[in-house]
Amino acid sequence: MNDSKPIIIAGGGIGGLAAARMLAIKGRKSIVLEQAPEFGEIGAGIQLGPNTHRMFDRLQVTKDMHKIAHFPENIVMMDSVSGEEILKMPLGAKLEAYFGKPYAVIHRADLHAVLLKACMKMNEIDLRTGVAVSNFTPTNNGITVDTEDGQTFEGSGLIGADGLWSKIRAEIIGDGDPIVSGHIAYRAVLPVNEVPAALDKWMEDVVLWAGPRNHLVHYKLRRGELFNIVAVFHSKKYVEGWDEFGDPAELYEHFKGVQPEVQALLKKINVWKMWVLCDRIPAKAWTDGRVTLIGDAAHPMLQYLAAGAGMAMEDAVCLVDLLEKLDGNIETAFAEYPRRRYLRTARVQLTARYYGDIYHAEGVARELRNLIIGEKKTGNPYAGIEWLYGKNSDQIGGY
Ligand SMILES: Cc1cc2nc3c(=O)[nH]c(=O)nc-3n(C[C@H](O)[C@H](O)[C@H](O)COP(=O)(O)OP(=O)(O)OC[C@H]3O[C@@H](n4cnc5c(N)ncnc54)[C@H](O)[C@@H]3O)c2cc1C
């Protein structure tokens, strides 16, 4: 690939590090500018569909990811009012045989740490922390990037991997603040030996308890040593950020009336972290000349499809593949990249909203949900998610 100046990456989250790693694998230099004083991720579980494992292969981190991940046996959907099992989708060997890659869950901090370690091994990557990008200016053959502490960096291009509240997106797309969904997530992680015995039969599964205007997800993490819990409910609250303390009393109020197993789990946790769930309407103009967006900066989504980290890594791999294919021509590759990606990521964004409605259904909608999803107990359990996990989805930018 030509063009000797490094590519500047704003943001050292999952997307930014994946982009740096992929560029380095192709011999291309980058500078990662992360605003936080240290690289890191907030602690919560992330589900890794087979498409994500294909990206791990491309990023050459599969072995390290699999050492620290956990491989559950089923995804189970329960009705948290009646206690009825709505759906059980096998994971494990059956899913792996179907998609050619496994399904796993991982602590976000572990995923990020593996990527960071992989980036630190590459001389092509210059990792900087405590540096917040404030603006950028296109030049004849590149881009200058200014930071809040008064530094200026020169690069051949700029990748905005600066997440939901992206400053780079504000310049390129300018579509205002993220959309507040009215859903709020509380999360906690327990040592696995503190999980109430009432949940014994589901310990090896990813379980989603669907309730009226709420749901709760739990599964083991970190080689099975930890237990991840995320409780989501409707609320008018808005607090920016992903790491605020939650109010247990508010949570219990929203989950009163759910099955005793769920109540027992909720009561076990004293300290919850919460965040308000936001997304945006899908857009496709992610690129302006030598500047483009990846990950949540490009297509923030609600987490109901558990696919945001996977999409960020697919973006990174797609962008660098195009750079290589187009002989390192940044403007051509950056222009082509959103065309390859926007329909796939828009499908995830919009389907995630729809899944949120399904999980939180009440009244007749709840009965209908149980009936329709229950019909999937027979037949091919994976038919509905082939577009997301399968590798034959090139027409919508699948990898
Ligand atoms: C509750 C929840 C559950 C989820 N579950 C899953 C799941 O199961 N599976 C899955 O695949 N995905 C999941 N996701 C989504 C996934 O976590 C995100 O899509 C993914 O982390 C996006 O990565 P990113 O690098 O684009 O953005 P981020 O992780 O937000 O990283 C952006 C980085 O940029 C930095 N930054 C911001 N502004 C600046 C600036 N001006 N200058 C420099 N640095 C800056 C930030 O500090 C941050 O480090 C979930 C998300 C949520 C909220």
Side-chain angles (χ1 to χ4, degrees), residues 212-214 233-235 249-258:
R213 297 159 72 83
N214 68 54
F233 56 88
H234 292 209
S235 167
E250 186 190 17
L251 179 68
Y252 302 147
E253 181 59 26
H254 282 272
F255 280 82
K256 69 179 182 209
V258 300

Side-chain angles (χ1 to χ4, degrees), residues 9-17 33-36 38-41 44-49 52 103 105-106 108 111-112 131-134 148 160-168 185 187 219 230 232 242 275-278 294-313 315:
I9 301 172
I14 292 166
L17 292 185
L33 304 177
E34 167 56 46
Q35 67 178 4
E38 281 174 31
F39 284 101
E41 262 290 352
I46 283 201
Q47 299 176 49
L48 305 169
T52 315
Y103 189 100
V105 287
I106 197 164
R108 292 156 75 91
L111 191 163
H112 190 269
V131 192
V133 171
S134 53
E148 279 174 13
D162 49 343
L164 179 63
W165 293 277
S166 168
K167 284 206 168 126
I168 315 293
R187 66 168 196 274
Y219 49 83
V230 180
V232 179
W242 283 18
W275 67 108
V276 172
L277 301 173
C278 299
I294 64 170
D296 281 5
H299 43 67
M301 49 191 61
L302 301 180
Q303 87 283 14
Y304 301 133
L305 223 53
M311 289 302 115
M313 287 185 274
D315 289 345

Side-chain angles (χ1 to χ4, degrees), residues 168-338:
I168 315 293
R169 182 187 178 106
E171 293 298 316
I172 295 185
I173 303 180
D175 55 352
D177 291 337
I179 297 169
V180 179
S181 67
H183 299 187
I184 193 162
Y186 274 48
R187 66 168 196 274
V189 176
L190 270 182
V192 81
N193 56 9
E194 289 181 20
V195 178
L199 292 159
D200 275 359
K201 73 184 257 209
W202 294 289
M203 287 304 282
E204 295 310 321
D205 299 332
V206 172
V207 183
L208 186 147
W209 295 86
R213 297 159 72 83
N214 68 54
H215 80 275
L216 177 126
V217 176
H218 56 73
Y219 49 83
K220 277 188 187 172
L221 277 181
R222 194 172 285 163
R223 298 175 294 248
E225 294 155 22
L226 299 175
F227 198 72
N228 183 62
I229 307 158
V230 180
V232 179
F233 56 88
H234 292 209
S235 167
K236 292 201 168 66
K237 196 177 271 181
Y238 179 70
V239 187
E240 197 165 297
W242 283 18
D243 211 21
E244 299 299 317
F245 283 101
D247 172 8
E250 186 190 17
L251 179 68
Y252 302 147
E253 181 59 26
H254 282 272
F255 280 82
K256 69 179 182 209
V258 300
Q259 289 293 297
E261 295 91 339
V262 178
Q263 301 272 4
L265 188 56
L266 294 178
K267 293 282 177 209
K268 199 78 201 164
I269 319 278
N270 299 320
V271 180
W272 292 91
K273 290 294 184 86
M274 62 153 235
W275 67 108
V276 172
L277 301 173
C278 299
D279 70 354
R280 288 182 183 275
I281 292 168
K284 59 178 176 179
W286 305 346
T287 293
D288 184 6
R290 290 173 175 264
V291 185
T292 196
L293 304 171
I294 64 170
D296 281 5
H299 43 67
M301 49 191 61
L302 301 180
Q303 87 283 14
Y304 301 133
L305 223 53
M311 289 302 115
M313 287 185 274
E314 286 187 6
D315 289 345
V317 171
C318 175
L319 184 63
V320 179
D321 276 352
L322 284 169
L323 263 176
E324 188 182 32
K325 196 168 149 197
L326 299 167
D327 295 328
N329 186 318
I330 289 188
E331 280 172 282
T332 320
F334 279 21
E336 178 59 17
Y337 146 76

Side-chain angles (χ1 to χ4, degrees), residues 18-226:
R21 170 76 175 171
M22 202 59 209
L23 285 165
I25 287 171
K26 301 294 180 188
R28 183 136 199 170
K29 287 184 187 153
S30 66
I31 306 175
V32 181
L33 304 177
E34 167 56 46
Q35 67 178 4
E38 281 174 31
F39 284 101
E41 262 290 352
I42 296 162
I46 283 201
Q47 299 176 49
L48 305 169
N51 59 315
T52 315
H53 296 266
R54 271 181 224 114
M55 297 307 103
F56 290 161
D57 285 353
R58 298 293 314 280
L59 293 160
Q60 300 172 13
V61 291
T62 303
K63 210 168 134 203
D64 285 344
M65 291 292 181
H66 285 193
K67 261 193 235 162
I68 194 94
H70 180 66
F71 294 84
E73 290 175 2
N74 303 285
I75 291 182
V76 178
M77 186 173 179
M78 303 290 296
D79 183 317
S80 70
V81 176
S82 65
E84 163 194 0
E85 183 186 288
I86 306 168
L87 183 76
K88 187 174 203 170
M89 183 175 98
L91 302 174
K94 188 167 175 183
L95 177 136
E96 188 166 354
Y98 192 89
F99 287 110
K101 290 287 166 194
Y103 189 100
V105 287
I106 197 164
H107 200 298
R108 292 156 75 91
D110 293 342
L111 191 163
H112 190 269
V114 169
L115 280 179
L116 182 62
K117 196 171 128 210
C119 285
M120 287 166 79
K121 284 186 193 151
M122 316 286 284
N123 292 330
E124 293 86 352
I125 306 175
D126 181 353
L127 295 161
R128 313 273 183 112
T129 50
V131 192
V133 171
S134 53
N135 56 60
F136 59 86
T137 315
T139 58
N140 273 349
N141 286 318
I143 200 101
T144 58
V145 174
D146 298 320
T147 64
E148 279 174 13
D149 60 355
Q151 299 185 68
T152 299
F153 293 85
E154 284 192 24
S156 53
L158 170 64
I159 299 176
D162 49 343
L164 179 63
W165 293 277
S166 168
K167 284 206 168 126
I168 315 293
R169 182 187 178 106
E171 293 298 316
I172 295 185
I173 303 180
D175 55 352
D177 291 337
I179 297 169
V180 179
S181 67
H183 299 187
I184 193 162
Y186 274 48
R187 66 168 196 274
V189 176
L190 270 182
V192 81
N193 56 9
E194 289 181 20
V195 178
L199 292 159
D200 275 359
K201 73 184 257 209
W202 294 289
M203 287 304 282
E204 295 310 321
D205 299 332
V206 172
V207 183
L208 186 147
W209 295 86
R213 297 159 72 83
N214 68 54
H215 80 275
L216 177 126
V217 176
H218 56 73
Y219 49 83
K220 277 188 187 172
L221 277 181
R222 194 172 285 163
R223 298 175 294 248
E225 294 155 22
L226 299 175

